[in-house]
Amino acid sequence: MITLYDYSKSGNCYKIRLLFSLLRIPYNRVEMNIKKGETGTEEFLNNISLNGKLPVLIIPKDYRKRDPNNPNINPNNNDYDDPNKIPEDGITLTESNAILTFISEGTPLFPSSSSFSNSIHNAKIMQWLFWEQFSLVPNILPLRWWITYLNLGDDPKYLDQIVEKQKLGYEALNLMENHLKDKEFFVDDKFTIADIALYANTHICEEAGYSIDSFPIIRAWLRRIEQMPGFIPIDD
C-alpha cells in the first residue's frame, strides 16, 4: 500500500487526501508536525525528502497502478507494467501536483493521452496545475501561515509583504472568477485534478486574510466540489 507523509493543515497535502477519497484509494498516512520541525530532522531529510517538503508519497514495490480502462477498480488488484522497475525500498515522489497526476492518470480526472483530444485536455489540466503553483499558492499559503498560525498579521516587518501578496492574490482570484463565469469546472467543463488542486488552496484563502464575498462564481464552484461523492474537508 502506498504511504503519504502528510501535514493535515497543508492545502498541498490536502489535495492528495482529497484525491484518494474521491477515487476510493486506500493508503497509509504518516502525520508530520511542521511546527515542531519534524520535516527538518536529519532522518527525514536523508530517508524521506531531501528538501524537507510535504507531501511525500512512497510507492512500494508491490504497488499496482490502476487500470486506465477501469478507473474505479482497486489499484492494488491490477497488474503493474513491470514491478521489477520499482526498487526494493520503493519510489519517493514529491510535489503535490506531480503526485496528483501520477495517482489520477487513466481516470476521468486525468485521462490517458490515447488521442489528440485527450492530450489537449490533459495539457489544459497541466496548464492550471502550473498556474496554481506559481500564481495562487505563493500569494495564499505564506500569508495563511503568517496570519493564522504564527499571528504575524499585525507585525510591521511583514506588512509590506502581506499587502503585495494580497494584491497579487486578488488578481489570481479575479482571473479564476472570470474564467469560470460560463463554466462549472476549469477544464472543458469536466471535474479534473485541476479543480482539486485549485480548490485545496482557494477554499482556505480567508485564513490568509482574503475575502471571497465579491467572488460569487468562485463560491458556487467551491460548493459544487464539496458536493462531489467522496469529498472530505481539510480537517477530516
Side-chain angles (χ1 to χ4, degrees):
M1 188 179 293
I2 52 182
T3 297
L4 175 68
Y5 283 81
D6 184 37
Y7 178 55
S8 59
K9 298 182 185 301
S10 162
N12 283 330
C13 291
Y14 170 52
K15 295 175 188 177
I16 313 306
R17 299 198 309 275
L18 178 54
L19 177 65
F20 283 155
S21 182
L22 291 166
L23 292 179
R24 301 188 298 279
I25 295 177
Y27 66 101
N28 296 317
R29 179 178 175 185
V30 179
E31 177 74 11
M32 307 296 293
N33 191 320
I34 293 176
K35 293 186 76 172
K36 291 183 178 180
E38 291 181 354
T39 58
T41 65
E42 184 176 345
E43 180 181 0
F44 186 83
L45 293 171
N46 288 339
N47 300 318
I48 306 299
S49 175
L50 290 175
N51 60 13
K53 292 174 63 177
L54 296 172
V56 179
L57 194 71
I58 306 298
I59 306 162
K61 186 174 179 61
D62 63 356
Y63 178 73
R64 297 297 180 263
K65 194 77 165 63
R66 68 177 47 250
D67 183 346
N69 296 314
N70 296 281
N72 292 321
I73 204 166
N74 187 322
N76 291 318
N77 290 335
N78 294 319
D79 291 332
Y80 192 80
D81 292 340
D82 185 355
N84 293 322
K85 290 184 178 179
I86 297 184
E88 287 295 334
D89 57 353
I91 293 172
T92 298
L93 192 60
T94 62
E95 300 299 332
S96 60
N97 289 346
I99 296 172
L100 285 182
T101 58
F102 171 74
I103 295 298
S104 65
E105 184 183 12
T107 76
L109 299 178
F110 192 70
S112 295
S113 298
S114 56
S115 65
F116 180 76
S117 60
N118 276 5
S119 294
I120 292 297
H121 178 74
N122 286 351
K124 291 177 182 177
I125 293 173
M126 295 300 297
Q127 172 182 277
W128 281 107
L129 294 182
F130 284 120
W131 182 87
E132 181 255 355
Q133 285 293 291
F134 287 100
S135 297
L136 187 70
V137 165
N139 299 308
I140 289 180
L141 298 196
L143 286 143
R144 179 174 178 253
W145 184 251
W146 297 340
I147 293 171
T148 299
Y149 297 107
L150 299 182
N151 298 312
L152 297 173
D154 296 325
D155 190 323
K157 291 186 295 185
Y158 287 84
L159 184 58
D160 288 345
Q161 293 183 71
I162 289 173
V163 170
E164 178 61 21
K165 285 186 177 297
Q166 284 190 340
K167 175 180 177 292
L168 296 173
Y170 275 118
E171 289 177 1
L173 292 171
N174 272 311
L175 187 150
M176 292 171 63
E177 181 86 357
N178 289 331
H179 178 76
L180 287 169
K181 64 184 177 183
D182 56 353
K183 303 175 183 66
E184 291 196 349
F185 301 108
F186 272 85
V187 178
D188 298 332
D189 243 357
K190 297 176 181 177
F191 179 58
T192 71
I193 56 172
D195 297 285
I196 293 174
L198 289 162
Y199 174 88
N201 286 314
T202 299
H203 88 289
I204 55 176
C205 68
E206 290 182 327
E207 295 181 15
Y210 293 89
S211 171
I212 60 169
D213 289 344
S214 58
F215 301 103
I217 297 174
I218 288 179
R219 287 205 309 271
W221 166 74
L222 294 174
R223 301 294 84 79
R224 277 194 292 278
I225 294 176
E226 290 160 5
Q227 293 167 9
M228 288 286 172
F231 173 85
I232 56 170
I234 192 170
D235 55 2
D236 190 303

